[in-house]
Amino acid sequence: MQHQYQDLITIFNQTFYQEYNTKLELGGDEPIYLPADETTEYHRIVFARGFYASGLHEIAHWCVAGPERRLLEDFGYWYHPDGRTQEVQSEFEKVEIRPQAYEWILSVSAGFPFTVSCDNLSGDFEPDRVAFMSKVHDEVMAILSEGIPKRVLALSQALRQFYQTPELSRDQFAVR
């Protein structure tokens, strides 16, 4: 199955532009969320380098952000760049569990492989990817039990329709 970033842009924009005044756009090296301002009348989720996975990840952060956060650049979240200490990495992973759970749900919906992102390539230690993925998996299971939030569900359905993937089930999510 081919996953073109242009398809993701089209699916996202068709699903959300009218109701949320938000568009997904291709960007350069760094992703960013930009709320509407005096030069651009709509909100922009800008993902990095045409990577499909980057688009899904940035969308997942948008799905976590509430209405007030969606009025702030990068949702007002802190971000400590690559090269984090073990303590800072632990804090980073705590705030990444929910967005990466959403990303995993969207990835499965699109038939696209999911890998957790520890995002610390030049840190002074090796993050425990399996432990982090287990936490993300637990969050996915909780979301599936409690009900998928509105925006995640809307995009999941649109992706499943476009890619002709099956209904989501718990057995589609495994820690590897």
Side-chain angles (χ1 to χ4, degrees):
M1 181 179 314
Q2 291 288 325
H3 289 88
Q4 304 295 325
Y5 74 83
Q6 298 92 334
D7 294 330
L8 184 59
I9 290 171
T10 299
I11 295 164
F12 180 90
N13 294 349
Q14 286 175 349
T15 304
F16 296 116
Y17 178 64
Q18 191 165 22
E19 183 175 355
Y20 293 96
N21 192 38
T22 303
K23 288 186 178 181
L24 180 65
E25 296 183 350
L26 173 63
D29 290 341
E30 293 298 324
I32 190 166
Y33 173 77
L34 300 167
D37 58 23
E38 60 279 344
T39 61
T40 306
E41 61 188 24
Y42 56 89
H43 311 296
R44 294 168 283 159
I45 302 168
V46 182
F47 67 102
R49 300 186 203 131
F51 294 137
Y52 196 93
S54 175
L56 289 175
H57 185 78
E58 297 312 312
I59 290 167
H61 276 285
W62 178 79
C63 288
V64 170
E68 285 137 21
R69 288 243 184 223
R70 293 194 307 268
L71 297 176
L72 304 172
E73 183 173 313
D74 265 349
F75 313 110
Y77 296 139
W78 70 273
Y79 179 76
H80 196 285
D82 190 1
R84 293 181 285 276
T85 64
Q86 191 163 1
E87 182 180 329
V88 174
Q89 181 68 22
S90 177
E91 291 304 309
F92 169 82
E93 289 179 8
K94 283 179 193 172
V95 300
E96 279 289 312
I97 291 171
R98 170 91 13 167
Q100 292 203 30
Y102 287 175
E103 180 184 351
W104 198 352
I105 290 167
L106 296 174
S107 294
V108 169
S109 299
F112 187 78
F114 172 77
T115 307
V116 293
S117 174
C118 294
D119 198 22
N120 198 30
L121 299 175
S122 60
D124 60 0
F125 73 102
E126 184 65 34
D128 187 340
R129 297 181 70 75
V130 174
F132 181 50
M133 188 155 188
S134 292
K135 291 174 186 173
V136 174
H137 180 266
D138 290 346
E139 187 73 9
V140 169
M141 294 299 106
I143 292 165
L144 293 177
S145 294
E146 296 163 7
I148 300 172
K150 177 183 173 185
R151 287 178 287 149
V152 180
L153 182 60
L155 188 55
S156 171
Q157 291 169 333
L159 290 167
R160 285 189 303 101
Q161 181 178 20
F162 183 85
Y163 291 106
Q164 297 297 295
T165 58
E167 288 280 331
L168 295 178
S169 66
R170 296 170 77 84
D171 63 332
Q172 293 169 308
F173 301 89
V175 176
R176 299 172 240 242

Coordinates of all heavy atoms in Angstrom, one line a residue, residues 98-167:
R98 N 0.0 10.2 25.3 CA -1.4 10.3 24.7 C -1.2 10.7 23.2 O -1.9 10.0 22.4 CB -2.2 11.4 25.4 CG -3.4 11.8 24.7 CD -4.7 11.2 24.9 NE -5.1 10.3 26.0 CZ -6.3 10.0 26.3 NH1 -7.3 10.6 25.6 NH2 -6.6 9.1 27.2
P99 N -0.4 11.6 22.8 CA -0.3 11.9 21.3 C 0.2 10.7 20.6 O -0.3 10.4 19.5 CB 0.7 13.1 21.2 CG 1.0 13.6 22.6 CD 0.4 12.6 23.6
Q100 N 1.1 9.9 21.1 CA 1.6 8.8 20.4 C 0.6 7.6 20.4 O 0.5 6.9 19.4 CB 3.0 8.3 20.9 CG 4.0 9.4 20.6 CD 5.4 8.9 20.5 OE1 5.7 7.8 20.2 NE2 6.4 9.8 20.8
A101 N -0.3 7.6 21.4 CA -1.4 6.6 21.3 C -2.3 7.0 20.2 O -2.8 6.1 19.4 CB -2.1 6.6 22.6
Y102 N -2.7 8.3 20.1 CA -3.5 8.7 18.9 C -2.8 8.5 17.6 O -3.5 8.0 16.7 CB -3.8 10.2 19.1 CG -4.7 10.7 20.1 CD1 -5.0 12.0 20.4 CD2 -5.4 9.8 20.9 CE1 -5.9 12.4 21.3 CE2 -6.3 10.2 21.9 CZ -6.5 11.5 22.1 OH -7.4 11.9 23.1
E103 N -1.5 8.7 17.5 CA -0.8 8.5 16.3 C -0.9 7.0 15.9 O -1.0 6.7 14.7 CB 0.7 8.9 16.5 CG 1.5 8.7 15.2 CD 3.0 9.0 15.5 OE1 3.3 9.6 16.5 OE2 3.8 8.7 14.6
W104 N -0.7 6.1 16.9 CA -0.8 4.7 16.6 C -2.2 4.3 16.1 O -2.3 3.6 15.1 CB -0.5 3.9 17.9 CG -0.1 2.5 17.7 CD1 -0.1 1.7 16.6 CD2 0.4 1.6 18.8 NE1 0.3 0.5 16.8 CE2 0.7 0.4 18.2 CE3 0.7 1.8 20.1 CZ2 1.1 -0.7 18.9 CZ3 1.2 0.7 20.8 CH2 1.4 -0.5 20.2
I105 N -3.2 4.8 16.7 CA -4.6 4.6 16.2 C -4.7 5.1 14.8 O -5.3 4.3 13.9 CB -5.6 5.3 17.1 CG1 -5.7 4.5 18.5 CG2 -7.0 5.3 16.5 CD1 -6.4 5.3 19.6
L106 N -4.2 6.2 14.5 CA -4.3 6.8 13.1 C -3.5 6.0 12.1 O -3.9 5.7 11.0 CB -3.9 8.3 13.1 CG -4.9 9.2 13.9 CD1 -4.3 10.6 14.0 CD2 -6.3 9.2 13.4
S107 N -2.3 5.5 12.6 CA -1.4 4.7 11.7 C -2.1 3.4 11.4 O -2.1 3.0 10.2 CB -0.1 4.4 12.4 OG 0.6 5.6 12.6
V108 N -2.7 2.7 12.3 CA -3.4 1.5 12.1 C -4.6 1.7 11.1 O -4.8 1.0 10.2 CB -3.9 0.8 13.4 CG1 -4.8 -0.4 13.1 CG2 -2.6 0.3 14.1
S109 N -5.3 2.8 11.3 CA -6.4 3.2 10.5 C -6.0 3.4 9.0 O -6.8 3.1 8.1 CB -7.1 4.5 11.0 OG -7.5 4.3 12.3
A110 N -4.8 3.9 8.8 CA -4.2 4.1 7.5 C -3.5 2.9 6.9 O -3.0 2.9 5.8 CB -3.3 5.3 7.5
G111 N -3.3 1.8 7.8 CA -2.5 0.7 7.3 C -1.1 1.0 7.2 O -0.3 0.5 6.4
F112 N -0.6 2.0 8.1 CA 0.7 2.5 8.0 C 1.5 2.0 9.3 O 0.9 2.0 10.4 CB 0.7 4.0 8.0 CG 2.0 4.7 7.8 CD1 2.6 4.8 6.6 CD2 2.7 5.3 8.9 CE1 3.8 5.4 6.4 CE2 3.9 5.9 8.7 CZ 4.5 5.9 7.4
P113 N 2.7 1.6 9.1 CA 3.5 1.0 10.3 C 3.7 2.1 11.3 O 4.0 3.3 11.0 CB 4.8 0.5 9.7 CG 4.9 1.1 8.3 CD 3.5 1.5 7.9
F114 N 3.6 1.8 12.6 CA 3.8 2.7 13.7 C 5.0 2.3 14.5 O 5.2 1.2 14.8 CB 2.6 2.8 14.6 CG 2.9 3.6 15.9 CD1 2.8 4.9 15.8 CD2 3.2 2.9 17.1 CE1 3.1 5.7 17.0 CE2 3.4 3.7 18.2 CZ 3.4 5.1 18.2
T115 N 5.8 3.3 14.8 CA 7.0 3.2 15.7 C 6.9 4.3 16.7 O 6.8 5.5 16.3 CB 8.3 3.2 14.9 OG1 8.2 2.3 13.8 CG2 9.5 2.9 15.8
V116 N 7.1 4.0 18.0 CA 7.2 5.1 18.9 C 8.4 6.0 18.6 O 9.4 5.5 18.1 CB 7.2 4.6 20.4 CG1 5.9 3.9 20.8 CG2 8.4 3.8 20.7
S117 N 8.3 7.2 19.0 CA 9.4 8.2 18.8 C 9.9 8.6 20.2 O 9.2 9.3 20.9 CB 8.9 9.3 18.0 OG 10.0 10.3 17.9
C118 N 11.1 8.2 20.5 CA 11.7 8.7 21.8 C 12.4 10.0 21.5 O 12.7 10.8 22.4 CB 12.7 7.7 22.3 SG 11.9 6.2 22.9
D119 N 12.7 10.3 20.2 CA 13.1 11.6 19.8 C 14.3 12.1 20.6 O 14.3 13.3 21.0 CB 12.0 12.6 19.8 CG 12.2 13.8 18.9 OD1 13.0 13.8 18.0 OD2 11.6 14.9 19.2
N120 N 15.3 11.3 20.8 CA 16.5 11.7 21.6 C 17.7 11.1 21.0 O 18.5 10.4 21.8 CB 16.3 11.4 23.1 CG 17.2 12.2 23.9 OD1 17.6 13.3 23.6 ND2 17.6 11.6 25.1
L121 N 18.0 11.3 19.8 CA 19.1 10.6 19.1 C 20.5 10.9 19.6 O 21.4 10.1 19.6 CB 19.1 10.9 17.6 CG 17.8 10.4 16.9 CD1 17.8 10.9 15.4 CD2 17.6 8.9 17.0
S122 N 20.7 12.2 20.1 CA 22.0 12.6 20.6 C 22.0 12.8 22.1 O 22.9 13.5 22.6 CB 22.5 13.8 19.9 OG 21.6 14.9 20.1
G123 N 21.1 12.1 22.8 CA 21.1 12.2 24.3 C 22.3 11.4 24.8 O 23.0 10.6 24.1
D124 N 22.5 11.5 26.1 CA 23.7 10.8 26.8 C 23.3 9.4 27.3 O 24.1 8.9 28.1 CB 24.2 11.7 27.9 CG 23.3 12.0 29.0 OD1 22.1 11.6 28.9 OD2 23.6 12.8 29.9
F125 N 22.2 8.9 26.9 CA 21.8 7.5 27.3 C 20.8 7.0 26.2 O 20.3 7.7 25.4 CB 21.1 7.5 28.7 CG 19.7 8.1 28.6 CD1 18.6 7.3 28.6 CD2 19.5 9.5 28.5 CE1 17.3 7.9 28.5 CE2 18.2 10.0 28.4 CZ 17.2 9.2 28.4
E126 N 20.6 5.7 26.3 CA 19.6 5.1 25.3 C 18.3 4.9 26.0 O 18.1 4.2 26.9 CB 20.2 3.7 24.9 CG 19.4 3.0 23.9 CD 19.4 3.7 22.5 OE1 20.4 4.3 22.2 OE2 18.3 3.6 21.8
P127 N 17.2 5.6 25.5 CA 15.9 5.4 26.0 C 15.4 4.0 25.9 O 15.8 3.3 24.9 CB 15.0 6.4 25.2 CG 16.0 7.3 24.6 CD 17.3 6.6 24.4
D128 N 14.6 3.6 26.8 CA 14.0 2.2 26.7 C 12.7 2.3 25.9 O 11.6 2.5 26.3 CB 13.7 1.8 28.2 CG 13.2 0.3 28.2 OD1 12.8 -0.2 27.2 OD2 13.3 -0.3 29.3
R129 N 12.9 2.0 24.6 CA 11.8 2.1 23.6 C 10.7 1.1 23.9 O 9.5 1.4 23.8 CB 12.4 1.8 22.2 CG 13.4 2.8 21.7 CD 13.8 2.5 20.3 NE 12.7 2.7 19.3 CZ 12.3 3.9 18.9 NH1 12.9 5.0 19.4 NH2 11.4 4.0 18.0
V130 N 11.0 -0.1 24.4 CA 10.0 -1.1 24.6 C 9.2 -0.7 25.8 O 7.9 -0.8 25.8 CB 10.6 -2.5 24.8 CG1 9.6 -3.5 25.3 CG2 11.3 -3.0 23.6
A131 N 9.8 -0.2 26.8 CA 9.0 0.3 28.0 C 8.1 1.5 27.6 O 6.9 1.5 28.0 CB 10.0 0.7 29.1
F132 N 8.6 2.4 26.8 CA 7.8 3.5 26.4 C 6.7 3.0 25.5 O 5.5 3.4 25.6 CB 8.7 4.5 25.6 CG 7.9 5.7 25.2 CD1 7.1 6.5 26.0 CD2 8.0 6.2 23.9 CE1 6.4 7.6 25.6 CE2 7.3 7.3 23.4 CZ 6.5 8.0 24.3
M133 N 7.0 2.1 24.6 CA 5.9 1.6 23.7 C 4.8 0.9 24.5 O 3.6 0.9 24.2 CB 6.5 0.7 22.7 CG 5.4 0.3 21.6 SD 6.2 -0.2 20.1 CE 4.8 -0.4 19.0
S134 N 5.2 0.2 25.6 CA 4.3 -0.5 26.5 C 3.3 0.5 27.1 O 2.1 0.3 27.2 CB 5.0 -1.3 27.6 OG 5.6 -2.4 27.0
K135 N 3.8 1.7 27.5 CA 3.0 2.7 28.1 C 2.0 3.3 27.1 O 0.9 3.5 27.3 CB 3.9 3.9 28.7 CG 4.7 3.4 29.9 CD 5.6 4.5 30.3 CE 6.5 4.0 31.4 NZ 7.5 5.0 31.8
V136 N 2.5 3.5 25.8 CA 1.7 4.0 24.8 C 0.6 2.9 24.4 O -0.6 3.3 24.2 CB 2.5 4.3 23.5 CG1 1.6 4.7 22.3 CG2 3.5 5.5 23.8
H137 N 1.0 1.7 24.4 CA 0.0 0.6 24.2 C -1.1 0.6 25.3 O -2.2 0.4 24.9 CB 0.8 -0.8 24.2 CG -0.1 -1.9 23.9 ND1 -0.7 -2.7 25.0 CD2 -0.6 -2.5 22.8 CE1 -1.4 -3.6 24.4 NE2 -1.4 -3.5 23.1
D138 N -0.7 0.7 26.5 CA -1.7 0.8 27.6 C -2.7 1.9 27.4 O -3.9 1.8 27.6 CB -1.0 1.0 29.0 CG -0.2 -0.3 29.4 OD1 -0.4 -1.4 28.8 OD2 0.6 -0.1 30.3
E139 N -2.1 3.0 26.9 CA -3.0 4.2 26.6 C -4.0 3.9 25.4 O -5.1 4.3 25.5 CB -2.1 5.4 26.3 CG -2.9 6.7 26.2 CD -3.5 7.3 27.5 OE1 -3.1 6.8 28.5 OE2 -4.2 8.2 27.4
V140 N -3.5 3.2 24.4 CA -4.3 2.9 23.3 C -5.4 2.0 23.8 O -6.6 2.1 23.4 CB -3.5 2.2 22.2 CG1 -4.4 1.5 21.1 CG2 -2.6 3.2 21.5
M141 N -5.1 1.0 24.6 CA -6.1 0.0 25.1 C -7.2 0.8 25.9 O -8.4 0.5 25.8 CB -5.5 -1.1 25.9 CG -4.6 -2.0 25.2 SD -5.4 -2.9 23.8 CE -4.7 -2.1 22.4
A142 N -6.7 1.8 26.7 CA -7.7 2.6 27.5 C -8.6 3.4 26.6 O -9.8 3.4 26.8 CB -6.9 3.5 28.5
I143 N -8.0 4.0 25.5 CA -8.8 4.8 24.6 C -9.8 3.9 23.9 O -11.0 4.3 23.7 CB -7.9 5.5 23.6 CG1 -7.0 6.6 24.3 CG2 -8.7 6.1 22.4 CD1 -5.8 7.1 23.5
L144 N -9.4 2.7 23.5 CA -10.3 1.8 22.8 C -11.5 1.4 23.7 O -12.6 1.2 23.2 CB -9.6 0.6 22.2 CG -8.6 0.9 21.1 CD1 -7.9 -0.4 20.6 CD2 -9.3 1.6 19.9
S145 N -11.2 1.2 25.0 CA -12.2 0.8 25.9 C -13.1 2.0 26.3 O -14.4 1.8 26.4 CB -11.5 0.4 27.2 OG -10.8 -0.8 27.0
E146 N -12.6 3.2 26.4 CA -13.4 4.3 26.8 C -14.1 5.0 25.7 O -15.1 5.7 25.9 CB -12.5 5.4 27.5 CG -11.9 4.8 28.8 CD -10.7 5.6 29.3 OE1 -10.4 6.7 28.7 OE2 -10.0 5.2 30.3
G147 N -13.6 4.8 24.5 CA -14.2 5.5 23.3 C -13.2 6.4 22.7 O -12.5 7.2 23.4
I148 N -13.0 6.4 21.4 CA -12.0 7.2 20.7 C -12.6 8.6 20.6 O -13.7 8.8 20.2 CB -11.8 6.7 19.3 CG1 -11.2 5.2 19.4 CG2 -10.8 7.6 18.5 CD1 -11.1 4.5 18.1
P149 N -11.8 9.6 21.0 CA -12.3 11.0 21.0 C -12.7 11.5 19.6 O -12.2 10.9 18.6 CB -11.0 11.8 21.4 CG -10.2 10.9 22.3 CD -10.5 9.5 21.6
K150 N -13.5 12.5 19.5 CA -14.2 12.9 18.3 C -13.3 13.1 17.1 O -13.5 12.6 16.0 CB -15.0 14.2 18.6 CG -15.7 14.8 17.4 CD -16.4 16.1 17.7 CE -17.0 16.7 16.5 NZ -17.5 18.0 16.8
R151 N -12.3 13.9 17.3 CA -11.4 14.3 16.1 C -10.6 13.1 15.7 O -10.4 12.8 14.5 CB -10.5 15.5 16.4 CG -11.3 16.8 16.4 CD -10.5 18.0 16.8 NE -10.2 17.9 18.2 CZ -9.1 18.4 18.8 NH1 -8.2 19.0 18.1 NH2 -8.9 18.3 20.1
V152 N -10.1 12.3 16.6 CA -9.3 11.1 16.3 C -10.2 10.1 15.6 O -9.8 9.5 14.5 CB -8.7 10.4 17.6 CG1 -7.9 9.1 17.2 CG2 -7.8 11.4 18.3
L153 N -11.4 9.9 16.0 CA -12.4 9.0 15.4 C -12.7 9.5 14.0 O -12.8 8.7 13.1 CB -13.7 8.9 16.3 CG -14.7 8.0 15.7 CD1 -14.2 6.5 15.6 CD2 -16.0 8.0 16.7
A154 N -13.0 10.8 13.8 CA -13.3 11.3 12.5 C -12.2 11.0 11.5 O -12.5 10.6 10.4 CB -13.6 12.8 12.6
L155 N -11.0 11.3 11.9 CA -9.9 11.0 11.0 C -9.6 9.5 10.8 O -9.3 9.1 9.7 CB -8.6 11.7 11.4 CG -7.4 11.7 10.5 CD1 -7.8 12.3 9.1 CD2 -6.2 12.4 11.0
S156 N -9.8 8.8 11.9 CA -9.6 7.3 11.7 C -10.6 6.8 10.7 O -10.2 6.0 9.8 CB -9.9 6.7 13.1 OG -9.9 5.2 13.0
Q157 N -11.8 7.2 10.8 CA -12.8 6.7 9.8 C -12.5 7.2 8.4 O -12.7 6.4 7.5 CB -14.2 7.2 10.2 CG -14.7 6.6 11.5 CD -16.0 7.2 12.1 OE1 -16.2 8.4 11.9 NE2 -16.7 6.4 12.9
A158 N -12.1 8.4 8.2 CA -11.7 8.9 6.9 C -10.5 8.1 6.3 O -10.5 7.7 5.2 CB -11.4 10.4 7.0
L159 N -9.5 7.8 7.2 CA -8.3 7.1 6.7 C -8.7 5.6 6.4 O -8.3 5.1 5.4 CB -7.3 7.1 7.8 CG -6.6 8.4 8.1 CD1 -5.8 8.3 9.4 CD2 -5.7 8.8 6.9
R160 N -9.6 5.0 7.2 CA -10.0 3.6 7.0 C -10.8 3.5 5.7 O -10.6 2.6 4.9 CB -10.8 3.1 8.1 CG -9.9 2.7 9.3 CD -10.6 1.9 10.5 NE -11.7 2.6 11.0 CZ -13.0 2.3 10.7 NH1 -13.3 1.3 9.9 NH2 -14.0 3.0 11.2
Q161 N -11.6 4.5 5.4 CA -12.4 4.6 4.2 C -11.4 4.7 3.0 O -11.5 4.0 2.0 CB -13.4 5.7 4.2 CG -14.2 5.7 2.9 CD -15.3 6.8 3.0 OE1 -15.2 7.8 3.7 NE2 -16.3 6.7 2.2
F162 N -10.5 5.6 3.1 CA -9.6 5.9 1.9 C -8.7 4.7 1.6 O -8.5 4.3 0.5 CB -8.7 7.1 2.2 CG -7.8 7.5 1.1 CD1 -8.3 8.3 0.1 CD2 -6.5 7.1 1.1 CE1 -7.4 8.6 -1.0 CE2 -5.6 7.4 0.0 CZ -6.1 8.2 -1.0
Y163 N -8.1 4.1 2.7 CA -7.2 3.0 2.5 C -7.8 1.6 2.6 O -7.2 0.6 2.4 CB -6.1 3.1 3.6 CG -5.2 4.2 3.4 CD1 -5.2 5.4 4.2 CD2 -4.2 4.3 2.3 CE1 -4.4 6.5 4.0 CE2 -3.4 5.4 2.1 CZ -3.5 6.4 2.9 OH -2.7 7.5 2.7
Q164 N -9.2 1.6 2.8 CA -9.9 0.3 2.8 C -9.3 -0.6 3.9 O -9.1 -1.8 3.6 CB -9.9 -0.3 1.4 CG -10.6 0.5 0.4 CD -12.1 0.7 0.7 OE1 -12.9 -0.3 0.7 NE2 -12.5 1.9 1.0
T165 N -9.1 -0.1 5.1 CA -8.6 -0.9 6.2 C -9.8 -1.3 7.1 O -10.8 -0.7 7.1 CB -7.6 -0.2 7.0 OG1 -8.1 1.0 7.5 CG2 -6.3 0.1 6.1
P166 N -9.6 -2.4 7.8 CA -10.7 -2.9 8.6 C -11.0 -2.1 9.9 O -10.2 -1.2 10.2 CB -10.2 -4.3 9.1 CG -8.7 -4.3 9.0 CD -8.4 -3.3 7.9
E167 N -12.1 -2.3 10.5 CA -12.5 -1.7 11.8 C -11.3 -1.9 12.7 O -10.7 -2.9 12.7 CB -13.7 -2.3 12.4 CG -15.0 -2.0 11.6 CD -15.6 -0.6 12.0 OE1 -15.3 -0.1 13.2 OE2 -16.2 0.0 11.2

